[in-house]
mmCIF file with all atom_site columns, all heavy atoms in Angstrom:
data_model
loop_
_atom_site.group_PDB
_atom_site.id
_atom_site.type_symbol
_atom_site.label_atom_id
_atom_site.label_alt_id
_atom_site.label_comp_id
_atom_site.label_asym_id
_atom_site.label_entity_id
_atom_site.label_seq_id
_atom_site.pdbx_PDB_ins_code
_atom_site.Cartn_x
_atom_site.Cartn_y
_atom_site.Cartn_z
_atom_site.occupancy
_atom_site.B_iso_or_equiv
_atom_site.pdbx_formal_charge
_atom_site.auth_seq_id
_atom_site.auth_comp_id
_atom_site.auth_asym_id
_atom_site.auth_atom_id
_atom_site.pdbx_PDB_model_num
ATOM 1   N N   . ILE A 1 8   ? 15.489 0.776   36.835 1.00 0.00 ? 21  ILE A N   1
ATOM 2   C CA  . ILE A 1 8   ? 14.840 1.982   37.257 1.00 0.00 ? 21  ILE A CA  1
ATOM 3   C C   . ILE A 1 8   ? 15.380 2.328   38.662 1.00 0.00 ? 21  ILE A C   1
ATOM 4   O O   . ILE A 1 8   ? 15.541 1.502   39.526 1.00 0.00 ? 21  ILE A O   1
ATOM 5   C CB  . ILE A 1 8   ? 13.365 1.774   37.339 1.00 0.00 ? 21  ILE A CB  1
ATOM 6   C CG1 . ILE A 1 8   ? 12.743 1.495   36.002 1.00 0.00 ? 21  ILE A CG1 1
ATOM 7   C CG2 . ILE A 1 8   ? 12.616 2.962   38.006 1.00 0.00 ? 21  ILE A CG2 1
ATOM 8   C CD1 . ILE A 1 8   ? 11.275 0.950   36.007 1.00 0.00 ? 21  ILE A CD1 1
ATOM 9   N N   . ALA A 1 9   ? 15.852 3.591   38.819 1.00 0.00 ? 22  ALA A N   1
ATOM 10  C CA  . ALA A 1 9   ? 16.326 4.088   40.076 1.00 0.00 ? 22  ALA A CA  1
ATOM 11  C C   . ALA A 1 9   ? 15.432 3.839   41.251 1.00 0.00 ? 22  ALA A C   1
ATOM 12  O O   . ALA A 1 9   ? 14.220 4.014   41.182 1.00 0.00 ? 22  ALA A O   1
ATOM 13  C CB  . ALA A 1 9   ? 16.767 5.566   39.931 1.00 0.00 ? 22  ALA A CB  1
ATOM 14  N N   . VAL A 1 10  ? 15.996 3.419   42.389 1.00 0.00 ? 23  VAL A N   1
ATOM 15  C CA  . VAL A 1 10  ? 15.259 3.231   43.472 1.00 0.00 ? 23  VAL A CA  1
ATOM 16  C C   . VAL A 1 10  ? 15.173 4.530   44.304 1.00 0.00 ? 23  VAL A C   1
ATOM 17  O O   . VAL A 1 10  ? 16.190 5.137   44.638 1.00 0.00 ? 23  VAL A O   1
ATOM 18  C CB  . VAL A 1 10  ? 15.943 2.171   44.490 1.00 0.00 ? 23  VAL A CB  1
ATOM 19  C CG1 . VAL A 1 10  ? 15.200 2.021   45.795 1.00 0.00 ? 23  VAL A CG1 1
ATOM 20  C CG2 . VAL A 1 10  ? 15.956 0.740   43.822 1.00 0.00 ? 23  VAL A CG2 1
ATOM 21  N N   . TRP A 1 14  ? 10.109 7.911   47.911 1.00 0.00 ? 27  TRP A N   1
ATOM 22  C CA  . TRP A 1 14  ? 8.826  7.656   47.053 1.00 0.00 ? 27  TRP A CA  1
ATOM 23  C C   . TRP A 1 14  ? 8.175  6.454   47.539 1.00 0.00 ? 27  TRP A C   1
ATOM 24  O O   . TRP A 1 14  ? 7.018  6.348   47.833 1.00 0.00 ? 27  TRP A O   1
ATOM 25  C CB  . TRP A 1 14  ? 9.236  7.660   45.643 1.00 0.00 ? 27  TRP A CB  1
ATOM 26  C CG  . TRP A 1 14  ? 8.122  7.392   44.687 1.00 0.00 ? 27  TRP A CG  1
ATOM 27  C CD1 . TRP A 1 14  ? 7.098  8.276   44.281 1.00 0.00 ? 27  TRP A CD1 1
ATOM 28  C CD2 . TRP A 1 14  ? 7.776  6.078   44.019 1.00 0.00 ? 27  TRP A CD2 1
ATOM 29  N NE1 . TRP A 1 14  ? 6.189  7.687   43.368 1.00 0.00 ? 27  TRP A NE1 1
ATOM 30  C CE2 . TRP A 1 14  ? 6.760  6.411   43.229 1.00 0.00 ? 27  TRP A CE2 1
ATOM 31  C CE3 . TRP A 1 14  ? 8.436  4.898   44.045 1.00 0.00 ? 27  TRP A CE3 1
ATOM 32  C CZ2 . TRP A 1 14  ? 6.185  5.409   42.355 1.00 0.00 ? 27  TRP A CZ2 1
ATOM 33  C CZ3 . TRP A 1 14  ? 7.915  3.918   43.161 1.00 0.00 ? 27  TRP A CZ3 1
ATOM 34  C CH2 . TRP A 1 14  ? 6.758  4.173   42.378 1.00 0.00 ? 27  TRP A CH2 1
ATOM 35  N N   . LEU A 1 15  ? 8.943  5.270   47.765 1.00 0.00 ? 28  LEU A N   1
ATOM 36  C CA  . LEU A 1 15  ? 8.461  4.067   48.278 1.00 0.00 ? 28  LEU A CA  1
ATOM 37  C C   . LEU A 1 15  ? 7.854  4.205   49.613 1.00 0.00 ? 28  LEU A C   1
ATOM 38  O O   . LEU A 1 15  ? 6.838  3.615   49.865 1.00 0.00 ? 28  LEU A O   1
ATOM 39  C CB  . LEU A 1 15  ? 9.533  3.069   48.231 1.00 0.00 ? 28  LEU A CB  1
ATOM 40  C CG  . LEU A 1 15  ? 9.991  2.585   46.909 1.00 0.00 ? 28  LEU A CG  1
ATOM 41  C CD1 . LEU A 1 15  ? 11.277 1.549   47.033 1.00 0.00 ? 28  LEU A CD1 1
ATOM 42  C CD2 . LEU A 1 15  ? 8.960  1.806   46.143 1.00 0.00 ? 28  LEU A CD2 1
ATOM 43  N N   . LEU A 1 252 ? 7.806  -8.537  37.165 1.00 0.00 ? 265 LEU A N   1
ATOM 44  C CA  . LEU A 1 252 ? 6.986  -7.707  36.274 1.00 0.00 ? 265 LEU A CA  1
ATOM 45  C C   . LEU A 1 252 ? 7.099  -6.234  36.447 1.00 0.00 ? 265 LEU A C   1
ATOM 46  O O   . LEU A 1 252 ? 6.529  -5.463  35.727 1.00 0.00 ? 265 LEU A O   1
ATOM 47  C CB  . LEU A 1 252 ? 5.490  -8.119  36.462 1.00 0.00 ? 265 LEU A CB  1
ATOM 48  C CG  . LEU A 1 252 ? 5.110  -9.590  35.954 1.00 0.00 ? 265 LEU A CG  1
ATOM 49  C CD1 . LEU A 1 252 ? 3.627  -9.976  36.191 1.00 0.00 ? 265 LEU A CD1 1
ATOM 50  C CD2 . LEU A 1 252 ? 5.365  -9.747  34.424 1.00 0.00 ? 265 LEU A CD2 1
ATOM 51  N N   . ALA A 1 253 ? 7.926  -5.845  37.512 1.00 0.00 ? 266 ALA A N   1
ATOM 52  C CA  . ALA A 1 253 ? 8.124  -4.427  37.808 1.00 0.00 ? 266 ALA A CA  1
ATOM 53  C C   . ALA A 1 253 ? 9.431  -3.919  37.250 1.00 0.00 ? 266 ALA A C   1
ATOM 54  O O   . ALA A 1 253 ? 9.914  -2.871  37.577 1.00 0.00 ? 266 ALA A O   1
ATOM 55  C CB  . ALA A 1 253 ? 8.075  -4.245  39.460 1.00 0.00 ? 266 ALA A CB  1
ATOM 56  N N   . MET A 1 254 ? 9.922  -4.653  36.223 1.00 0.00 ? 267 MET A N   1
ATOM 57  C CA  . MET A 1 254 ? 11.074 -4.178  35.455 1.00 0.00 ? 267 MET A CA  1
ATOM 58  C C   . MET A 1 254 ? 10.622 -3.252  34.303 1.00 0.00 ? 267 MET A C   1
ATOM 59  O O   . MET A 1 254 ? 9.409  -3.398  33.939 1.00 0.00 ? 267 MET A O   1
ATOM 60  C CB  . MET A 1 254 ? 11.858 -5.229  34.877 1.00 0.00 ? 267 MET A CB  1
ATOM 61  C CG  . MET A 1 254 ? 12.821 -6.066  35.922 1.00 0.00 ? 267 MET A CG  1
ATOM 62  S SD  . MET A 1 254 ? 13.794 -7.226  35.075 1.00 0.00 ? 267 MET A SD  1
ATOM 63  C CE  . MET A 1 254 ? 12.577 -8.558  34.940 1.00 0.00 ? 267 MET A CE  1
ATOM 64  N N   . GLY A 1 255 ? 11.453 -2.320  33.972 1.00 0.00 ? 268 GLY A N   1
ATOM 65  C CA  . GLY A 1 255 ? 11.046 -1.379  32.875 1.00 0.00 ? 268 GLY A CA  1
ATOM 66  C C   . GLY A 1 255 ? 10.573 -1.996  31.621 1.00 0.00 ? 268 GLY A C   1
ATOM 67  O O   . GLY A 1 255 ? 9.720  -1.664  31.049 1.00 0.00 ? 268 GLY A O   1
ATOM 68  N N   . ALA A 1 256 ? 11.152 -3.140  31.327 1.00 0.00 ? 269 ALA A N   1
ATOM 69  C CA  . ALA A 1 256 ? 10.848 -3.841  30.048 1.00 0.00 ? 269 ALA A CA  1
ATOM 70  C C   . ALA A 1 256 ? 9.412  -4.426  30.083 1.00 0.00 ? 269 ALA A C   1
ATOM 71  O O   . ALA A 1 256 ? 8.890  -4.639  28.954 1.00 0.00 ? 269 ALA A O   1
ATOM 72  C CB  . ALA A 1 256 ? 11.822 -5.150  29.857 1.00 0.00 ? 269 ALA A CB  1
ATOM 73  N N   . GLY A 1 257 ? 8.781  -4.534  31.273 1.00 0.00 ? 270 GLY A N   1
ATOM 74  C CA  . GLY A 1 257 ? 7.466  -4.985  31.266 1.00 0.00 ? 270 GLY A CA  1
ATOM 75  C C   . GLY A 1 257 ? 6.383  -3.944  30.947 1.00 0.00 ? 270 GLY A C   1
ATOM 76  O O   . GLY A 1 257 ? 5.301  -4.282  30.604 1.00 0.00 ? 270 GLY A O   1
ATOM 77  N N   . GLY A 1 258 ? 6.812  -2.666  30.922 1.00 0.00 ? 271 GLY A N   1
ATOM 78  C CA  . GLY A 1 258 ? 6.014  -1.549  30.513 1.00 0.00 ? 271 GLY A CA  1
ATOM 79  C C   . GLY A 1 258 ? 4.845  -1.204  31.357 1.00 0.00 ? 271 GLY A C   1
ATOM 80  O O   . GLY A 1 258 ? 4.054  -0.471  30.997 1.00 0.00 ? 271 GLY A O   1
ATOM 81  N N   . PHE A 1 259 ? 4.911  -1.596  32.601 1.00 0.00 ? 272 PHE A N   1
ATOM 82  C CA  . PHE A 1 259 ? 3.705  -1.139  33.551 1.00 0.00 ? 272 PHE A CA  1
ATOM 83  C C   . PHE A 1 259 ? 3.947  0.144   34.031 1.00 0.00 ? 272 PHE A C   1
ATOM 84  O O   . PHE A 1 259 ? 2.990  0.918   34.321 1.00 0.00 ? 272 PHE A O   1
ATOM 85  C CB  . PHE A 1 259 ? 3.603  -2.176  34.716 1.00 0.00 ? 272 PHE A CB  1
ATOM 86  C CG  . PHE A 1 259 ? 2.949  -3.513  34.202 1.00 0.00 ? 272 PHE A CG  1
ATOM 87  C CD1 . PHE A 1 259 ? 3.796  -4.644  34.039 1.00 0.00 ? 272 PHE A CD1 1
ATOM 88  C CD2 . PHE A 1 259 ? 1.644  -3.497  34.078 1.00 0.00 ? 272 PHE A CD2 1
ATOM 89  C CE1 . PHE A 1 259 ? 3.102  -5.780  33.549 1.00 0.00 ? 272 PHE A CE1 1
ATOM 90  C CE2 . PHE A 1 259 ? 1.054  -4.726  33.611 1.00 0.00 ? 272 PHE A CE2 1
ATOM 91  C CZ  . PHE A 1 259 ? 1.844  -5.899  33.468 1.00 0.00 ? 272 PHE A CZ  1
ATOM 92  N N   . ASP A 1 260 ? 5.217  0.756   34.166 1.00 0.00 ? 273 ASP A N   1
ATOM 93  C CA  . ASP A 1 260 ? 5.405  2.202   34.450 1.00 0.00 ? 273 ASP A CA  1
ATOM 94  C C   . ASP A 1 260 ? 4.804  2.694   35.769 1.00 0.00 ? 273 ASP A C   1
ATOM 95  O O   . ASP A 1 260 ? 4.382  3.832   35.790 1.00 0.00 ? 273 ASP A O   1
ATOM 96  C CB  . ASP A 1 260 ? 5.019  3.044   33.224 1.00 0.00 ? 273 ASP A CB  1
ATOM 97  C CG  . ASP A 1 260 ? 5.862  2.760   32.006 1.00 0.00 ? 273 ASP A CG  1
ATOM 98  O OD1 . ASP A 1 260 ? 6.900  2.102   32.121 1.00 0.00 ? 273 ASP A OD1 1
ATOM 99  O OD2 . ASP A 1 260 ? 5.348  3.000   30.848 1.00 0.00 ? 273 ASP A OD2 1
ATOM 100 N N   . PHE A 1 261 ? 4.772  1.858   36.785 1.00 0.00 ? 274 PHE A N   1
ATOM 101 C CA  . PHE A 1 261 ? 4.242  2.290   38.011 1.00 0.00 ? 274 PHE A CA  1
ATOM 102 C C   . PHE A 1 261 ? 5.016  3.428   38.594 1.00 0.00 ? 274 PHE A C   1
ATOM 103 O O   . PHE A 1 261 ? 4.573  4.322   39.323 1.00 0.00 ? 274 PHE A O   1
ATOM 104 C CB  . PHE A 1 261 ? 4.270  1.121   39.093 1.00 0.00 ? 274 PHE A CB  1
ATOM 105 C CG  . PHE A 1 261 ? 3.308  0.067   38.611 1.00 0.00 ? 274 PHE A CG  1
ATOM 106 C CD1 . PHE A 1 261 ? 3.768  -1.213  38.483 1.00 0.00 ? 274 PHE A CD1 1
ATOM 107 C CD2 . PHE A 1 261 ? 1.987  0.269   38.350 1.00 0.00 ? 274 PHE A CD2 1
ATOM 108 C CE1 . PHE A 1 261 ? 2.931  -2.304  38.142 1.00 0.00 ? 274 PHE A CE1 1
ATOM 109 C CE2 . PHE A 1 261 ? 1.087  -0.833  38.003 1.00 0.00 ? 274 PHE A CE2 1
ATOM 110 C CZ  . PHE A 1 261 ? 1.578  -2.055  37.863 1.00 0.00 ? 274 PHE A CZ  1
ATOM 111 N N   . HIS A 1 262 ? 6.224  3.438   38.210 1.00 0.00 ? 275 HIS A N   1
ATOM 112 C CA  . HIS A 1 262 ? 7.212  4.460   38.828 1.00 0.00 ? 275 HIS A CA  1
ATOM 113 C C   . HIS A 1 262 ? 7.013  5.889   38.381 1.00 0.00 ? 275 HIS A C   1
ATOM 114 O O   . HIS A 1 262 ? 7.537  6.883   38.817 1.00 0.00 ? 275 HIS A O   1
ATOM 115 C CB  . HIS A 1 262 ? 8.652  4.028   38.511 1.00 0.00 ? 275 HIS A CB  1
ATOM 116 C CG  . HIS A 1 262 ? 8.945  3.971   37.023 1.00 0.00 ? 275 HIS A CG  1
ATOM 117 N ND1 . HIS A 1 262 ? 8.342  3.179   36.097 1.00 0.00 ? 275 HIS A ND1 1
ATOM 118 C CD2 . HIS A 1 262 ? 9.837  4.816   36.237 1.00 0.00 ? 275 HIS A CD2 1
ATOM 119 C CE1 . HIS A 1 262 ? 8.850  3.440   34.850 1.00 0.00 ? 275 HIS A CE1 1
ATOM 120 N NE2 . HIS A 1 262 ? 9.698  4.272   34.922 1.00 0.00 ? 275 HIS A NE2 1
ATOM 121 N N   . LEU A 1 263 ? 6.094  6.060   37.280 1.00 0.00 ? 276 LEU A N   1
ATOM 122 C CA  . LEU A 1 263 ? 5.861  7.345   36.783 1.00 0.00 ? 276 LEU A CA  1
ATOM 123 C C   . LEU A 1 263 ? 4.746  8.139   37.479 1.00 0.00 ? 276 LEU A C   1
ATOM 124 O O   . LEU A 1 263 ? 4.437  9.235   37.240 1.00 0.00 ? 276 LEU A O   1
ATOM 125 C CB  . LEU A 1 263 ? 5.484  7.173   35.169 1.00 0.00 ? 276 LEU A CB  1
ATOM 126 C CG  . LEU A 1 263 ? 6.546  6.667   34.371 1.00 0.00 ? 276 LEU A CG  1
ATOM 127 C CD1 . LEU A 1 263 ? 6.138  6.593   32.859 1.00 0.00 ? 276 LEU A CD1 1
ATOM 128 C CD2 . LEU A 1 263 ? 7.852  7.399   34.509 1.00 0.00 ? 276 LEU A CD2 1
ATOM 129 N N   . PRO A 1 267 ? 3.607  5.462   44.948 1.00 0.00 ? 280 PRO A N   1
ATOM 130 C CA  . PRO A 1 267 ? 3.941  4.136   44.533 1.00 0.00 ? 280 PRO A CA  1
ATOM 131 C C   . PRO A 1 267 ? 2.607  3.285   44.567 1.00 0.00 ? 280 PRO A C   1
ATOM 132 O O   . PRO A 1 267 ? 1.630  3.561   45.250 1.00 0.00 ? 280 PRO A O   1
ATOM 133 C CB  . PRO A 1 267 ? 4.849  3.672   45.736 1.00 0.00 ? 280 PRO A CB  1
ATOM 134 C CG  . PRO A 1 267 ? 4.392  4.592   46.819 1.00 0.00 ? 280 PRO A CG  1
ATOM 135 C CD  . PRO A 1 267 ? 4.020  5.939   46.189 1.00 0.00 ? 280 PRO A CD  1
ATOM 136 N N   . PRO A 1 268 ? 2.669  2.152   43.799 1.00 0.00 ? 281 PRO A N   1
ATOM 137 C CA  . PRO A 1 268 ? 1.539  1.367   43.612 1.00 0.00 ? 281 PRO A CA  1
ATOM 138 C C   . PRO A 1 268 ? 1.116  0.600   44.819 1.00 0.00 ? 281 PRO A C   1
ATOM 139 O O   . PRO A 1 268 ? 1.973  -0.043  45.426 1.00 0.00 ? 281 PRO A O   1
ATOM 140 C CB  . PRO A 1 268 ? 1.665  0.436   42.457 1.00 0.00 ? 281 PRO A CB  1
ATOM 141 C CG  . PRO A 1 268 ? 3.326  0.347   42.617 1.00 0.00 ? 281 PRO A CG  1
ATOM 142 C CD  . PRO A 1 268 ? 3.737  1.675   42.916 1.00 0.00 ? 281 PRO A CD  1
ATOM 143 N N   . LEU A 1 273 ? -1.348 -3.588  41.836 1.00 0.00 ? 286 LEU A N   1
ATOM 144 C CA  . LEU A 1 273 ? -0.420 -4.637  41.372 1.00 0.00 ? 286 LEU A CA  1
ATOM 145 C C   . LEU A 1 273 ? -1.147 -5.898  41.036 1.00 0.00 ? 286 LEU A C   1
ATOM 146 O O   . LEU A 1 273 ? -0.822 -6.453  40.053 1.00 0.00 ? 286 LEU A O   1
ATOM 147 C CB  . LEU A 1 273 ? 0.667  -4.751  42.383 1.00 0.00 ? 286 LEU A CB  1
ATOM 148 C CG  . LEU A 1 273 ? 1.662  -3.640  42.731 1.00 0.00 ? 286 LEU A CG  1
ATOM 149 C CD1 . LEU A 1 273 ? 2.528  -3.998  43.886 1.00 0.00 ? 286 LEU A CD1 1
ATOM 150 C CD2 . LEU A 1 273 ? 2.373  -3.142  41.468 1.00 0.00 ? 286 LEU A CD2 1
ATOM 151 N N   . TRP A 1 277 ? -1.237 -7.684  37.357 1.00 0.00 ? 290 TRP A N   1
ATOM 152 C CA  . TRP A 1 277 ? -0.486 -8.854  37.094 1.00 0.00 ? 290 TRP A CA  1
ATOM 153 C C   . TRP A 1 277 ? -1.309 -10.257 37.090 1.00 0.00 ? 290 TRP A C   1
ATOM 154 O O   . TRP A 1 277 ? -0.780 -11.277 36.714 1.00 0.00 ? 290 TRP A O   1
ATOM 155 C CB  . TRP A 1 277 ? 0.527  -8.940  38.196 1.00 0.00 ? 290 TRP A CB  1
ATOM 156 C CG  . TRP A 1 277 ? 1.616  -7.888  38.162 1.00 0.00 ? 290 TRP A CG  1
ATOM 157 C CD1 . TRP A 1 277 ? 1.858  -6.980  37.145 1.00 0.00 ? 290 TRP A CD1 1
ATOM 158 C CD2 . TRP A 1 277 ? 2.615  -7.521  39.197 1.00 0.00 ? 290 TRP A CD2 1
ATOM 159 N NE1 . TRP A 1 277 ? 2.861  -6.117  37.517 1.00 0.00 ? 290 TRP A NE1 1
ATOM 160 C CE2 . TRP A 1 277 ? 3.324  -6.406  38.743 1.00 0.00 ? 290 TRP A CE2 1
ATOM 161 C CE3 . TRP A 1 277 ? 2.666  -7.982  40.523 1.00 0.00 ? 290 TRP A CE3 1
ATOM 162 C CZ2 . TRP A 1 277 ? 4.341  -5.801  39.577 1.00 0.00 ? 290 TRP A CZ2 1
ATOM 163 C CZ3 . TRP A 1 277 ? 3.724  -7.390  41.299 1.00 0.00 ? 290 TRP A CZ3 1
ATOM 164 C CH2 . TRP A 1 277 ? 4.547  -6.309  40.891 1.00 0.00 ? 290 TRP A CH2 1
ATOM 165 N N   . VAL A 1 301 ? 15.960 -5.028  41.700 1.00 0.00 ? 314 VAL A N   1
ATOM 166 C CA  . VAL A 1 301 ? 15.766 -4.519  40.326 1.00 0.00 ? 314 VAL A CA  1
ATOM 167 C C   . VAL A 1 301 ? 14.163 -4.021  40.304 1.00 0.00 ? 314 VAL A C   1
ATOM 168 O O   . VAL A 1 301 ? 13.953 -2.974  39.860 1.00 0.00 ? 314 VAL A O   1
ATOM 169 C CB  . VAL A 1 301 ? 15.878 -5.796  39.355 1.00 0.00 ? 314 VAL A CB  1
ATOM 170 C CG1 . VAL A 1 301 ? 15.374 -5.216  37.925 1.00 0.00 ? 314 VAL A CG1 1
ATOM 171 C CG2 . VAL A 1 301 ? 17.230 -6.189  39.404 1.00 0.00 ? 314 VAL A CG2 1
ATOM 172 N N   . ASP A 1 302 ? 13.329 -4.813  40.930 1.00 0.00 ? 315 ASP A N   1
ATOM 173 C CA  . ASP A 1 302 ? 11.901 -4.443  40.898 1.00 0.00 ? 315 ASP A CA  1
ATOM 174 C C   . ASP A 1 302 ? 11.638 -3.252  41.912 1.00 0.00 ? 315 ASP A C   1
ATOM 175 O O   . ASP A 1 302 ? 10.478 -2.653  41.846 1.00 0.00 ? 315 ASP A O   1
ATOM 176 C CB  . ASP A 1 302 ? 10.924 -5.639  41.201 1.00 0.00 ? 315 ASP A CB  1
ATOM 177 C CG  . ASP A 1 302 ? 10.763 -6.496  39.936 1.00 0.00 ? 315 ASP A CG  1
ATOM 178 O OD1 . ASP A 1 302 ? 11.713 -6.517  39.127 1.00 0.00 ? 315 ASP A OD1 1
ATOM 179 O OD2 . ASP A 1 302 ? 9.748  -7.171  39.841 1.00 0.00 ? 315 ASP A OD2 1
ATOM 180 N N   . LYS A 1 303 ? 12.548 -2.938  42.695 1.00 0.00 ? 316 LYS A N   1
ATOM 181 C CA  . LYS A 1 303 ? 12.321 -1.964  43.777 1.00 0.00 ? 316 LYS A CA  1
ATOM 182 C C   . LYS A 1 303 ? 12.189 -0.559  43.165 1.00 0.00 ? 316 LYS A C   1
ATOM 183 O O   . LYS A 1 303 ? 11.742 0.368   43.788 1.00 0.00 ? 316 LYS A O   1
ATOM 184 C CB  . LYS A 1 303 ? 13.530 -2.074  44.741 1.00 0.00 ? 316 LYS A CB  1
ATOM 185 C CG  . LYS A 1 303 ? 13.280 -1.265  46.037 1.00 0.00 ? 316 LYS A CG  1
ATOM 186 C CD  . LYS A 1 303 ? 14.341 -1.499  47.081 1.00 0.00 ? 316 LYS A CD  1
ATOM 187 C CE  . LYS A 1 303 ? 13.991 -0.714  48.366 1.00 0.00 ? 316 LYS A CE  1
ATOM 188 N NZ  . LYS A 1 303 ? 14.990 -0.944  49.400 1.00 0.00 ? 316 LYS A NZ  1
ATOM 189 N N   . GLY A 1 304 ? 12.564 -0.453  41.896 1.00 0.00 ? 317 GLY A N   1
ATOM 190 C CA  . GLY A 1 304 ? 12.414 0.859   41.268 1.00 0.00 ? 317 GLY A CA  1
ATOM 191 C C   . GLY A 1 304 ? 10.914 1.216   41.154 1.00 0.00 ? 317 GLY A C   1
ATOM 192 O O   . GLY A 1 304 ? 10.564 2.397   40.854 1.00 0.00 ? 317 GLY A O   1
ATOM 193 N N   . MET A 1 305 ? 9.939  0.276   41.213 1.00 0.00 ? 318 MET A N   1
ATOM 194 C CA  . MET A 1 305 ? 8.602  0.453   40.912 1.00 0.00 ? 318 MET A CA  1
ATOM 195 C C   . MET A 1 305 ? 7.690  0.013   42.229 1.00 0.00 ? 318 MET A C   1
ATOM 196 O O   . MET A 1 305 ? 6.606  0.659   42.254 1.00 0.00 ? 318 MET A O   1
ATOM 197 C CB  . MET A 1 305 ? 8.026  -0.344  39.876 1.00 0.00 ? 318 MET A CB  1
ATOM 198 C CG  . MET A 1 305 ? 8.373  0.176   38.417 1.00 0.00 ? 318 MET A CG  1
ATOM 199 S SD  . MET A 1 305 ? 7.371  -0.624  37.243 1.00 0.00 ? 318 MET A SD  1
ATOM 200 C CE  . MET A 1 305 ? 8.285  -0.221  35.607 1.00 0.00 ? 318 MET A CE  1
ATOM 201 N N   . VAL A 1 306 ? 8.152  -0.801  42.893 1.00 0.00 ? 319 VAL A N   1
ATOM 202 C CA  . VAL A 1 306 ? 7.421  -1.313  44.084 1.00 0.00 ? 319 VAL A CA  1
ATOM 203 C C   . VAL A 1 306 ? 8.153  -1.575  45.354 1.00 0.00 ? 319 VAL A C   1
ATOM 204 O O   . VAL A 1 306 ? 9.304  -1.760  45.302 1.00 0.00 ? 319 VAL A O   1
ATOM 205 C CB  . VAL A 1 306 ? 6.709  -2.641  43.689 1.00 0.00 ? 319 VAL A CB  1
ATOM 206 C CG1 . VAL A 1 306 ? 5.720  -2.499  42.471 1.00 0.00 ? 319 VAL A CG1 1
ATOM 207 C CG2 . VAL A 1 306 ? 7.628  -3.752  43.382 1.00 0.00 ? 319 VAL A CG2 1
ATOM 208 N N   . SER A 1 307 ? 7.440  -1.466  46.503 1.00 0.00 ? 320 SER A N   1
ATOM 209 C CA  . SER A 1 307 ? 7.916  -1.705  47.762 1.00 0.00 ? 320 SER A CA  1
ATOM 210 C C   . SER A 1 307 ? 7.915  -3.207  47.980 1.00 0.00 ? 320 SER A C   1
ATOM 211 O O   . SER A 1 307 ? 7.069  -3.953  47.458 1.00 0.00 ? 320 SER A O   1
ATOM 212 C CB  . SER A 1 307 ? 7.399  -0.957  48.909 1.00 0.00 ? 320 SER A CB  1
ATOM 213 O OG  . SER A 1 307 ? 6.081  -1.385  49.057 1.00 0.00 ? 320 SER A OG  1
#
Side-chain angles (χ1 to χ4, degrees):
I21 297 167
V23 173
W27 179 75
L28 291 171
L265 294 175
M267 287 184 282
F272 285 101
D273 295 342
F274 298 121
H275 62 299
L276 300 181
L286 297 173
W290 296 343
V314 179
D315 282 28
K316 194 174 181 178
M318 283 198 196
V319 299
S320 70

